PDB file of all heavy atoms in Angstrom:
ATOM      1  N   SER S 279      20.633 -12.362 -23.264  1.00 89.00           N
ATOM      2  CA  SER S 279      20.420 -10.973 -22.820  1.00 89.00           C
ATOM      3  C   SER S 279      18.986 -10.555 -22.851  1.00 89.00           C
ATOM      4  O   SER S 279      18.474  -9.802 -21.994  1.00 89.00           O
ATOM      5  CB  SER S 279      21.328 -10.012 -23.627  1.00 89.00           C
ATOM      6  OG  SER S 279      20.917 -10.030 -24.977  1.00 89.00           O
ATOM      7  N   ILE S 280      18.184 -11.062 -23.825  1.00 88.00           N
ATOM      8  CA  ILE S 280      16.811 -10.713 -23.866  1.00 88.00           C
ATOM      9  C   ILE S 280      16.072 -11.393 -22.687  1.00 88.00           C
ATOM     10  O   ILE S 280      15.192 -10.747 -22.057  1.00 88.00           O
ATOM     11  CB  ILE S 280      16.248 -11.183 -25.223  1.00 88.00           C
ATOM     12  CG1 ILE S 280      16.754 -10.378 -26.336  1.00 88.00           C
ATOM     13  CG2 ILE S 280      14.652 -11.142 -25.209  1.00 88.00           C
ATOM     14  CD1 ILE S 280      16.294 -10.843 -27.734  1.00 88.00           C
ATOM     15  N   ALA S 281      16.444 -12.616 -22.415  1.00 89.00           N
ATOM     16  CA  ALA S 281      15.814 -13.334 -21.259  1.00 89.00           C
ATOM     17  C   ALA S 281      16.173 -12.635 -19.955  1.00 89.00           C
ATOM     18  O   ALA S 281      15.347 -12.469 -19.094  1.00 89.00           O
ATOM     19  CB  ALA S 281      16.323 -14.743 -21.216  1.00 89.00           C
ATOM     20  N   THR S 282      17.429 -12.197 -19.843  1.00 92.00           N
ATOM     21  CA  THR S 282      17.816 -11.459 -18.605  1.00 92.00           C
ATOM     22  C   THR S 282      17.040 -10.154 -18.456  1.00 92.00           C
ATOM     23  O   THR S 282      16.593  -9.853 -17.369  1.00 92.00           O
ATOM     24  CB  THR S 282      19.378 -11.188 -18.671  1.00 92.00           C
ATOM     25  OG1 THR S 282      20.009 -12.468 -18.789  1.00 92.00           O
ATOM     26  CG2 THR S 282      19.811 -10.531 -17.417  1.00 92.00           C
ATOM     27  N   MET S 283      16.927  -9.401 -19.515  1.00 93.00           N
ATOM     28  CA  MET S 283      16.109  -8.193 -19.441  1.00 93.00           C
ATOM     29  C   MET S 283      14.642  -8.459 -19.102  1.00 93.00           C
ATOM     30  O   MET S 283      14.039  -7.699 -18.320  1.00 93.00           O
ATOM     31  CB  MET S 283      16.216  -7.458 -20.777  1.00 93.00           C
ATOM     32  CG  MET S 283      17.499  -6.768 -21.072  1.00 93.00           C
ATOM     33  SD  MET S 283      17.711  -5.814 -22.513  1.00 93.00           S
ATOM     34  CE  MET S 283      16.131  -5.814 -23.321  1.00 93.00           C
ATOM     35  N   SER S 284      14.127  -9.540 -19.666  1.00 92.00           N
ATOM     36  CA  SER S 284      12.721  -9.881 -19.335  1.00 92.00           C
ATOM     37  C   SER S 284      12.538 -10.206 -17.917  1.00 92.00           C
ATOM     38  O   SER S 284      11.568  -9.774 -17.269  1.00 92.00           O
ATOM     39  CB  SER S 284      12.317 -11.026 -20.245  1.00 92.00           C
ATOM     40  OG  SER S 284      11.004 -11.497 -19.930  1.00 92.00           O
ATOM     41  N   VAL S 285      13.515 -11.028 -17.343  1.00 93.00           N
ATOM     42  CA  VAL S 285      13.422 -11.349 -15.928  1.00 93.00           C
ATOM     43  C   VAL S 285      13.569 -10.142 -15.045  1.00 93.00           C
ATOM     44  O   VAL S 285      12.832  -9.915 -14.064  1.00 93.00           O
ATOM     45  CB  VAL S 285      14.448 -12.402 -15.548  1.00 93.00           C
ATOM     46  CG1 VAL S 285      14.536 -12.564 -14.066  1.00 93.00           C
ATOM     47  CG2 VAL S 285      14.131 -13.743 -16.203  1.00 93.00           C
ATOM     48  N   GLY S 286      14.482  -9.224 -15.402  1.00 94.00           N
ATOM     49  CA  GLY S 286      14.660  -8.023 -14.647  1.00 94.00           C
ATOM     50  C   GLY S 286      13.413  -7.126 -14.622  1.00 94.00           C
ATOM     51  O   GLY S 286      12.994  -6.598 -13.618  1.00 94.00           O
ATOM     52  N   MET S 287      12.831  -6.962 -15.824  1.00 95.00           N
ATOM     53  CA  MET S 287      11.560  -6.183 -15.894  1.00 95.00           C
ATOM     54  C   MET S 287      10.476  -6.792 -15.111  1.00 95.00           C
ATOM     55  O   MET S 287       9.700  -6.097 -14.441  1.00 95.00           O
ATOM     56  CB  MET S 287      11.194  -5.974 -17.356  1.00 95.00           C
ATOM     57  CG  MET S 287      12.081  -5.120 -18.155  1.00 95.00           C
ATOM     58  SD  MET S 287      11.746  -5.034 -19.927  1.00 95.00           S
ATOM     59  CE  MET S 287      10.079  -4.472 -19.962  1.00 95.00           C
ATOM     60  N   SER S 288      10.358  -8.112 -15.097  1.00 95.00           N
ATOM     61  CA  SER S 288       9.294  -8.813 -14.390  1.00 95.00           C
ATOM     62  C   SER S 288       9.529  -8.555 -12.872  1.00 95.00           C
ATOM     63  O   SER S 288       8.549  -8.258 -12.122  1.00 95.00           O
ATOM     64  CB  SER S 288       9.275 -10.278 -14.662  1.00 95.00           C
ATOM     65  OG  SER S 288       8.372 -10.950 -13.929  1.00 95.00           O
ATOM     66  N   ASN S 289      10.775  -8.720 -12.395  1.00 95.00           N
ATOM     67  CA  ASN S 289      11.066  -8.482 -10.981  1.00 95.00           C
ATOM     68  C   ASN S 289      10.794  -7.076 -10.578  1.00 95.00           C
ATOM     69  O   ASN S 289      10.291  -6.842  -9.471  1.00 95.00           O
ATOM     70  CB  ASN S 289      12.611  -8.859 -10.716  1.00 95.00           C
ATOM     71  CG  ASN S 289      12.799 -10.402 -10.741  1.00 95.00           C
ATOM     72  OD1 ASN S 289      11.887 -11.167 -10.679  1.00 95.00           O
ATOM     73  ND2 ASN S 289      14.100 -10.739 -10.866  1.00 95.00           N
ATOM     74  N   GLN S 290      11.072  -6.095 -11.406  1.00 96.00           N
ATOM     75  CA  GLN S 290      10.794  -4.748 -11.151  1.00 96.00           C
ATOM     76  C   GLN S 290       9.290  -4.439 -11.083  1.00 96.00           C
ATOM     77  O   GLN S 290       8.881  -3.748 -10.111  1.00 96.00           O
ATOM     78  CB  GLN S 290      11.388  -3.852 -12.231  1.00 96.00           C
ATOM     79  CG  GLN S 290      11.271  -2.383 -11.962  1.00 96.00           C
ATOM     80  CD  GLN S 290      11.874  -1.466 -13.055  1.00 96.00           C
ATOM     81  OE1 GLN S 290      12.369  -2.024 -14.079  1.00 96.00           O
ATOM     82  NE2 GLN S 290      11.916  -0.223 -12.823  1.00 96.00           N
ATOM     83  N   LYS S 291       8.501  -5.097 -11.905  1.00 96.00           N
ATOM     84  CA  LYS S 291       7.080  -4.970 -11.832  1.00 96.00           C
ATOM     85  C   LYS S 291       6.499  -5.525 -10.553  1.00 96.00           C
ATOM     86  O   LYS S 291       5.651  -4.956  -9.889  1.00 96.00           O
ATOM     87  CB  LYS S 291       6.350  -5.566 -13.037  1.00 96.00           C
ATOM     88  CG  LYS S 291       4.890  -5.436 -12.973  1.00 96.00           C
ATOM     89  CD  LYS S 291       4.231  -5.758 -14.322  1.00 96.00           C
ATOM     90  CE  LYS S 291       2.774  -5.642 -14.329  1.00 96.00           C
ATOM     91  NZ  LYS S 291       2.072  -5.196 -13.198  1.00 96.00           N
ATOM     92  N   VAL S 292       6.998  -6.711 -10.195  1.00 95.00           N
ATOM     93  CA  VAL S 292       6.533  -7.322  -8.896  1.00 95.00           C
ATOM     94  C   VAL S 292       6.922  -6.465  -7.734  1.00 95.00           C
ATOM     95  O   VAL S 292       6.041  -6.266  -6.775  1.00 95.00           O
ATOM     96  CB  VAL S 292       7.189  -8.745  -8.737  1.00 95.00           C
ATOM     97  CG1 VAL S 292       7.005  -9.286  -7.350  1.00 95.00           C
ATOM     98  CG2 VAL S 292       6.663  -9.669  -9.763  1.00 95.00           C
ATOM     99  N   ALA S 293       8.156  -5.891  -7.687  1.00 95.00           N
ATOM    100  CA  ALA S 293       8.473  -5.030  -6.554  1.00 95.00           C
ATOM    101  C   ALA S 293       7.594  -3.765  -6.556  1.00 95.00           C
ATOM    102  O   ALA S 293       7.190  -3.267  -5.457  1.00 95.00           O
ATOM    103  CB  ALA S 293       9.954  -4.595  -6.757  1.00 95.00           C
ATOM    104  N   GLN S 294       7.340  -3.171  -7.696  1.00 96.00           N
ATOM    105  CA  GLN S 294       6.460  -1.992  -7.740  1.00 96.00           C
ATOM    106  C   GLN S 294       5.024  -2.362  -7.255  1.00 96.00           C
ATOM    107  O   GLN S 294       4.420  -1.603  -6.502  1.00 96.00           O
ATOM    108  CB  GLN S 294       6.392  -1.504  -9.201  1.00 96.00           C
ATOM    109  CG  GLN S 294       5.617  -0.197  -9.365  1.00 96.00           C
ATOM    110  CD  GLN S 294       5.604   0.321 -10.747  1.00 96.00           C
ATOM    111  OE1 GLN S 294       6.125  -0.294 -11.677  1.00 96.00           O
ATOM    112  NE2 GLN S 294       5.024   1.493 -10.917  1.00 96.00           N
ATOM    113  N   ASP S 295       4.480  -3.546  -7.714  1.00 95.00           N
ATOM    114  CA  ASP S 295       3.151  -3.881  -7.298  1.00 95.00           C
ATOM    115  C   ASP S 295       3.146  -4.134  -5.787  1.00 95.00           C
ATOM    116  O   ASP S 295       2.099  -3.842  -5.123  1.00 95.00           O
ATOM    117  CB  ASP S 295       2.721  -5.185  -8.045  1.00 95.00           C
ATOM    118  CG  ASP S 295       2.387  -4.915  -9.483  1.00 95.00           C
ATOM    119  OD1 ASP S 295       2.321  -3.684  -9.864  1.00 95.00           O
ATOM    120  OD2 ASP S 295       2.304  -5.902 -10.246  1.00 95.00           O
ATOM    121  N   MET S 296       4.144  -4.736  -5.253  1.00 96.00           N
ATOM    122  CA  MET S 296       4.211  -4.997  -3.798  1.00 96.00           C
ATOM    123  C   MET S 296       4.246  -3.648  -3.066  1.00 96.00           C
ATOM    124  O   MET S 296       3.571  -3.465  -2.039  1.00 96.00           O
ATOM    125  CB  MET S 296       5.455  -5.798  -3.434  1.00 96.00           C
ATOM    126  CG  MET S 296       5.465  -6.165  -1.956  1.00 96.00           C
ATOM    127  SD  MET S 296       6.925  -7.099  -1.494  1.00 96.00           S
ATOM    128  CE  MET S 296       8.150  -5.899  -1.629  1.00 96.00           C
ATOM    129  N   GLY S 297       5.094  -2.663  -3.554  1.00 95.00           N
ATOM    130  CA  GLY S 297       5.067  -1.382  -2.894  1.00 95.00           C
ATOM    131  C   GLY S 297       3.684  -0.666  -2.884  1.00 95.00           C
ATOM    132  O   GLY S 297       3.348  -0.088  -1.926  1.00 95.00           O
ATOM    133  N   THR S 298       3.021  -0.776  -4.017  1.00 95.00           N
ATOM    134  CA  THR S 298       1.694  -0.253  -4.124  1.00 95.00           C
ATOM    135  C   THR S 298       0.702  -0.817  -3.167  1.00 95.00           C
ATOM    136  O   THR S 298      -0.093  -0.173  -2.497  1.00 95.00           O
ATOM    137  CB  THR S 298       1.167  -0.327  -5.585  1.00 95.00           C
ATOM    138  OG1 THR S 298       2.051   0.231  -6.479  1.00 95.00           O
ATOM    139  CG2 THR S 298      -0.221   0.307  -5.693  1.00 95.00           C
ATOM    140  N   SER S 299       0.839  -2.163  -3.009  1.00 94.00           N
ATOM    141  CA  SER S 299      -0.018  -2.930  -2.057  1.00 94.00           C
ATOM    142  C   SER S 299       0.218  -2.460  -0.595  1.00 94.00           C
ATOM    143  O   SER S 299      -0.726  -2.220   0.186  1.00 94.00           O
ATOM    144  CB  SER S 299       0.165  -4.354  -2.135  1.00 94.00           C
ATOM    145  OG  SER S 299      -0.275  -4.772  -3.455  1.00 94.00           O
ATOM    146  N   VAL S 300       1.458  -2.283  -0.261  1.00 95.00           N
ATOM    147  CA  VAL S 300       1.822  -1.847   1.034  1.00 95.00           C
ATOM    148  C   VAL S 300       1.340  -0.474   1.316  1.00 95.00           C
ATOM    149  O   VAL S 300       0.779  -0.183   2.414  1.00 95.00           O
ATOM    150  CB  VAL S 300       3.376  -1.920   1.265  1.00 95.00           C
ATOM    151  CG1 VAL S 300       3.793  -1.223   2.614  1.00 95.00           C
ATOM    152  CG2 VAL S 300       3.824  -3.369   1.338  1.00 95.00           C
ATOM    153  N   LEU S 301       1.420   0.459   0.311  1.00 94.00           N
ATOM    154  CA  LEU S 301       0.938   1.774   0.515  1.00 94.00           C
ATOM    155  C   LEU S 301      -0.596   1.785   0.648  1.00 94.00           C
ATOM    156  O   LEU S 301      -1.165   2.560   1.490  1.00 94.00           O
ATOM    157  CB  LEU S 301       1.305   2.650  -0.689  1.00 94.00           C
ATOM    158  CG  LEU S 301       2.808   3.083  -0.731  1.00 94.00           C
ATOM    159  CD1 LEU S 301       3.102   3.834  -1.963  1.00 94.00           C
ATOM    160  CD2 LEU S 301       3.121   3.914   0.509  1.00 94.00           C
ATOM    161  N   LYS S 302      -1.279   0.965  -0.039  1.00 94.00           N
ATOM    162  CA  LYS S 302      -2.742   0.873   0.067  1.00 94.00           C
ATOM    163  C   LYS S 302      -3.201   0.367   1.441  1.00 94.00           C
ATOM    164  O   LYS S 302      -4.122   0.878   2.033  1.00 94.00           O
ATOM    165  CB  LYS S 302      -3.356  -0.060  -0.977  1.00 94.00           C
ATOM    166  CG  LYS S 302      -3.408   0.561  -2.386  1.00 94.00           C
ATOM    167  CD  LYS S 302      -4.047  -0.391  -3.415  1.00 94.00           C
ATOM    168  CE  LYS S 302      -4.037   0.222  -4.776  1.00 94.00           C
ATOM    169  NZ  LYS S 302      -4.659  -0.750  -5.753  1.00 94.00           N
ATOM    170  N   MET S 303      -2.449  -0.631   1.971  1.00 93.00           N
ATOM    171  CA  MET S 303      -2.698  -1.129   3.337  1.00 93.00           C
ATOM    172  C   MET S 303      -2.456  -0.040   4.328  1.00 93.00           C
ATOM    173  O   MET S 303      -3.192   0.115   5.317  1.00 93.00           O
ATOM    174  CB  MET S 303      -1.831  -2.337   3.640  1.00 93.00           C
ATOM    175  CG  MET S 303      -2.275  -3.584   2.877  1.00 93.00           C
ATOM    176  SD  MET S 303      -1.293  -5.074   3.154  1.00 93.00           S
ATOM    177  CE  MET S 303      -0.119  -4.733   4.369  1.00 93.00           C
ATOM    178  N   ALA S 304      -1.387   0.771   4.150  1.00 93.00           N
ATOM    179  CA  ALA S 304      -1.064   1.793   5.126  1.00 93.00           C
ATOM    180  C   ALA S 304      -2.152   2.916   5.053  1.00 93.00           C
ATOM    181  O   ALA S 304      -2.531   3.402   6.140  1.00 93.00           O
ATOM    182  CB  ALA S 304       0.304   2.398   4.809  1.00 93.00           C
ATOM    183  N   MET S 305      -2.584   3.205   3.855  1.00 93.00           N
ATOM    184  CA  MET S 305      -3.697   4.248   3.756  1.00 93.00           C
ATOM    185  C   MET S 305      -4.958   3.707   4.429  1.00 93.00           C
ATOM    186  O   MET S 305      -5.612   4.467   5.120  1.00 93.00           O
ATOM    187  CB  MET S 305      -3.949   4.508   2.309  1.00 93.00           C
ATOM    188  CG  MET S 305      -2.911   5.426   1.682  1.00 93.00           C
ATOM    189  SD  MET S 305      -3.145   5.720  -0.064  1.00 93.00           S
ATOM    190  CE  MET S 305      -4.813   6.179  -0.162  1.00 93.00           C
ATOM    191  N   GLY S 306      -5.273   2.440   4.213  1.00 91.00           N
ATOM    192  CA  GLY S 306      -6.468   1.862   4.908  1.00 91.00           C
ATOM    193  C   GLY S 306      -6.353   1.923   6.344  1.00 91.00           C
ATOM    194  O   GLY S 306      -7.296   2.208   7.125  1.00 91.00           O
ATOM    195  N   SER S 307      -5.188   1.544   6.853  1.00 92.00           N
ATOM    196  CA  SER S 307      -4.951   1.579   8.364  1.00 92.00           C
ATOM    197  C   SER S 307      -5.070   3.024   8.880  1.00 92.00           C
ATOM    198  O   SER S 307      -5.695   3.215   9.956  1.00 92.00           O
ATOM    199  CB  SER S 307      -3.528   1.011   8.633  1.00 92.00           C
ATOM    200  OG  SER S 307      -3.269   1.166  10.036  1.00 92.00           O
ATOM    201  N   ALA S 308      -4.456   3.993   8.191  1.00 91.00           N
ATOM    202  CA  ALA S 308      -4.594   5.365   8.611  1.00 91.00           C
ATOM    203  C   ALA S 308      -5.994   5.883   8.621  1.00 91.00           C
ATOM    204  O   ALA S 308      -6.456   6.586   9.508  1.00 91.00           O
ATOM    205  CB  ALA S 308      -3.671   6.229   7.770  1.00 91.00           C
ATOM    206  N   GLU S 309      -6.725   5.440   7.588  1.00 91.00           N
ATOM    207  CA  GLU S 309      -8.176   5.883   7.452  1.00 91.00           C
ATOM    208  C   GLU S 309      -8.971   5.330   8.621  1.00 91.00           C
ATOM    209  O   GLU S 309      -9.802   6.004   9.304  1.00 91.00           O
ATOM    210  CB  GLU S 309      -8.723   5.444   6.130  1.00 91.00           C
ATOM    211  CG  GLU S 309     -10.102   5.985   5.854  1.00 91.00           C
ATOM    212  CD  GLU S 309     -10.561   5.619   4.459  1.00 91.00           C
ATOM    213  OE1 GLU S 309      -9.850   5.911   3.449  1.00 91.00           O
ATOM    214  OE2 GLU S 309     -11.595   5.014   4.326  1.00 91.00           O
ATOM    215  N   SER S 310      -8.830   4.041   8.968  1.00 91.00           N
ATOM    216  CA  SER S 310      -9.564   3.436  10.026  1.00 91.00           C
ATOM    217  C   SER S 310      -9.189   4.035  11.369  1.00 91.00           C
ATOM    218  O   SER S 310     -10.023   4.179  12.214  1.00 91.00           O
ATOM    219  CB  SER S 310      -9.357   1.902  10.007  1.00 91.00           C
ATOM    220  OG  SER S 310      -8.024   1.557  10.339  1.00 91.00           O
ATOM    221  N   THR S 311      -7.927   4.353  11.536  1.00 91.00           N
ATOM    222  CA  THR S 311      -7.468   5.037  12.773  1.00 91.00           C
ATOM    223  C   THR S 311      -8.110   6.432  12.936  1.00 91.00           C
ATOM    224  O   THR S 311      -8.527   6.760  14.040  1.00 91.00           O
ATOM    225  CB  THR S 311      -5.956   5.137  12.798  1.00 91.00           C
ATOM    226  OG1 THR S 311      -5.357   3.846  12.743  1.00 91.00           O
ATOM    227  CG2 THR S 311      -5.473   5.800  14.122  1.00 91.00           C
ATOM    228  N   ALA S 312      -8.202   7.178  11.811  1.00 90.00           N
ATOM    229  CA  ALA S 312      -8.774   8.494  11.873  1.00 90.00           C
ATOM    230  C   ALA S 312     -10.259   8.355  12.152  1.00 90.00           C
ATOM    231  O   ALA S 312     -10.881   9.155  12.957  1.00 90.00           O
ATOM    232  CB  ALA S 312      -8.543   9.228  10.598  1.00 90.00           C
ATOM    233  N   ASP S 313     -10.962   7.397  11.579  1.00 90.00           N
ATOM    234  CA  ASP S 313     -12.362   7.147  11.763  1.00 90.00           C
ATOM    235  C   ASP S 313     -12.600   6.812  13.253  1.00 90.00           C
ATOM    236  O   ASP S 313     -13.535   7.332  13.891  1.00 90.00           O
ATOM    237  CB  ASP S 313     -12.918   6.080  10.900  1.00 90.00           C
ATOM    238  CG  ASP S 313     -13.010   6.457   9.487  1.00 90.00           C
ATOM    239  OD1 ASP S 313     -12.933   7.688   9.211  1.00 90.00           O
ATOM    240  OD2 ASP S 313     -13.073   5.520   8.625  1.00 90.00           O
ATOM    241  N   MET S 314     -11.755   5.993  13.806  1.00 91.00           N
ATOM    242  CA  MET S 314     -11.907   5.617  15.221  1.00 91.00           C
ATOM    243  C   MET S 314     -11.702   6.802  16.113  1.00 91.00           C
ATOM    244  O   MET S 314     -12.462   6.979  17.028  1.00 91.00           O
ATOM    245  CB  MET S 314     -10.915   4.449  15.547  1.00 91.00           C
ATOM    246  CG  MET S 314     -11.104   3.984  16.979  1.00 91.00           C
ATOM    247  SD  MET S 314     -10.075   2.539  17.416  1.00 91.00           S
ATOM    248  CE  MET S 314      -8.417   3.187  17.155  1.00 91.00           C
ATOM    249  N   LEU S 315     -10.695   7.644  15.822  1.00 89.00           N
ATOM    250  CA  LEU S 315     -10.423   8.795  16.645  1.00 89.00           C
ATOM    251  C   LEU S 315     -11.581   9.745  16.562  1.00 89.00           C
ATOM    252  O   LEU S 315     -11.995  10.356  17.594  1.00 89.00           O
ATOM    253  CB  LEU S 315      -9.129   9.472  16.154  1.00 89.00           C
ATOM    254  CG  LEU S 315      -8.720  10.739  16.924  1.00 89.00           C
ATOM    255  CD1 LEU S 315      -8.469  10.365  18.368  1.00 89.00           C
ATOM    256  CD2 LEU S 315      -7.470  11.318  16.250  1.00 89.00           C
ATOM    257  N   ASN S 316     -12.144   9.969  15.390  1.00 87.00           N
ATOM    258  CA  ASN S 316     -13.341  10.861  15.251  1.00 87.00           C
ATOM    259  C   ASN S 316     -14.515  10.337  16.020  1.00 87.00           C
ATOM    260  O   ASN S 316     -15.191  11.172  16.655  1.00 87.00           O
ATOM    261  CB  ASN S 316     -13.693  10.965  13.752  1.00 87.00           C
ATOM    262  CG  ASN S 316     -12.797  11.919  13.001  1.00 87.00           C
ATOM    263  OD1 ASN S 316     -12.181  12.785  13.621  1.00 87.00           O
ATOM    264  ND2 ASN S 316     -12.729  11.765  11.721  1.00 87.00           N
ATOM    265  N   SER S 317     -14.737   9.059  16.045  1.00 88.00           N
ATOM    266  CA  SER S 317     -15.859   8.539  16.746  1.00 88.00           C
ATOM    267  C   SER S 317     -15.655   8.711  18.276  1.00 88.00           C
ATOM    268  O   SER S 317     -16.592   9.005  18.994  1.00 88.00           O
ATOM    269  CB  SER S 317     -16.105   7.065  16.424  1.00 88.00           C
ATOM    270  OG  SER S 317     -15.093   6.232  16.884  1.00 88.00           O
ATOM    271  N   VAL S 318     -14.453   8.454  18.715  1.00 86.00           N
ATOM    272  CA  VAL S 318     -14.133   8.646  20.182  1.00 86.00           C
ATOM    273  C   VAL S 318     -14.316  10.060  20.617  1.00 86.00           C
ATOM    274  O   VAL S 318     -14.898  10.392  21.607  1.00 86.00           O
ATOM    275  CB  VAL S 318     -12.764   8.101  20.460  1.00 86.00           C
ATOM    276  CG1 VAL S 318     -12.320   8.573  21.915  1.00 86.00           C
ATOM    277  CG2 VAL S 318     -12.704   6.621  20.408  1.00 86.00           C
ATOM    278  N   MET S 319     -13.849  10.995  19.753  1.00 82.00           N
ATOM    279  CA  MET S 319     -13.909  12.420  20.089  1.00 82.00           C
ATOM    280  C   MET S 319     -15.393  12.874  20.099  1.00 82.00           C
ATOM    281  O   MET S 319     -15.814  13.647  20.941  1.00 82.00           O
ATOM    282  CB  MET S 319     -13.150  13.254  19.042  1.00 82.00           C
ATOM    283  CG  MET S 319     -11.604  13.040  19.079  1.00 82.00           C
ATOM    284  SD  MET S 319     -10.888  13.532  20.666  1.00 82.00           S
ATOM    285  CE  MET S 319     -10.952  15.256  20.459  1.00 82.00           C
ATOM    286  N   ALA S 320     -16.156  12.356  19.190  1.00 81.00           N
ATOM    287  CA  ALA S 320     -17.601  12.642  19.146  1.00 81.00           C
ATOM    288  C   ALA S 320     -18.318  12.159  20.364  1.00 81.00           C
ATOM    289  O   ALA S 320     -19.219  12.835  20.934  1.00 81.00           O
ATOM    290  CB  ALA S 320     -18.264  12.096  17.869  1.00 81.00           C
ATOM    291  N   GLU S 321     -18.011  10.944  20.788  1.00 79.00           N
ATOM    292  CA  GLU S 321     -18.573  10.381  21.984  1.00 79.00           C
ATOM    293  C   GLU S 321     -18.256  11.244  23.207  1.00 79.00           C
ATOM    294  O   GLU S 321     -19.126  11.487  24.042  1.00 79.00           O
ATOM    295  CB  GLU S 321     -18.139   8.962  22.210  1.00 79.00           C
ATOM    296  CG  GLU S 321     -18.700   7.924  21.204  1.00 79.00           C
ATOM    297  CD  GLU S 321     -18.066   6.583  21.381  1.00 79.00           C
ATOM    298  OE1 GLU S 321     -17.308   6.395  22.349  1.00 79.00           O
ATOM    299  OE2 GLU S 321     -18.289   5.753  20.535  1.00 79.00           O
ATOM    300  N   GLN S 322     -17.024  11.649  23.350  1.00 76.00           N
ATOM    301  CA  GLN S 322     -16.663  12.391  24.530  1.00 76.00           C
ATOM    302  C   GLN S 322     -17.256  13.802  24.455  1.00 76.00           C
ATOM    303  O   GLN S 322     -17.629  14.344  25.486  1.00 76.00           O
ATOM    304  CB  GLN S 322     -15.071  12.525  24.592  1.00 76.00           C
ATOM    305  CG  GLN S 322     -14.472  11.203  24.967  1.00 76.00           C
ATOM    306  CD  GLN S 322     -13.142  11.350  25.567  1.00 76.00           C
ATOM    307  OE1 GLN S 322     -12.620  12.392  25.675  1.00 76.00           O
ATOM    308  NE2 GLN S 322     -12.563  10.241  25.989  1.00 76.00           N
TER     309      GLN S 322
END
C-alpha cells in the first residue's frame, strides 16, 4: 500500500507538471500572437 501510494503521488506530480508546461506554452503563444498583432497594427 505504501508503494501504491508512492506511485500514485508520483503520477499526480507528473500530470501536474505536464499541465503547467502546457499552460506556459499557451501563454507564450498568446504573448507572441499579441506582439505580432501590435506590430501589424502599428505598421498600418
Side-chain angles (χ1 to χ4, degrees):
S279 63
I280 293 173
T282 303
M283 285 183 4
S284 175
V285 168
M287 289 174 59
S288 177
N289 288 343
Q290 184 179 5
K291 180 168 179 4
V292 168
Q294 183 178 7
D295 290 346
M296 185 181 72
T298 303
S299 296
V300 168
L301 287 174
K302 284 182 182 179
M303 288 180 3
M305 285 176 49
S307 175
E309 185 175 308
S310 65
T311 302
D313 290 342
M314 184 175 60
L315 181 62
N316 283 337
S317 67
V318 168
M319 295 296 287
E321 289 172 7
Q322 290 203 357

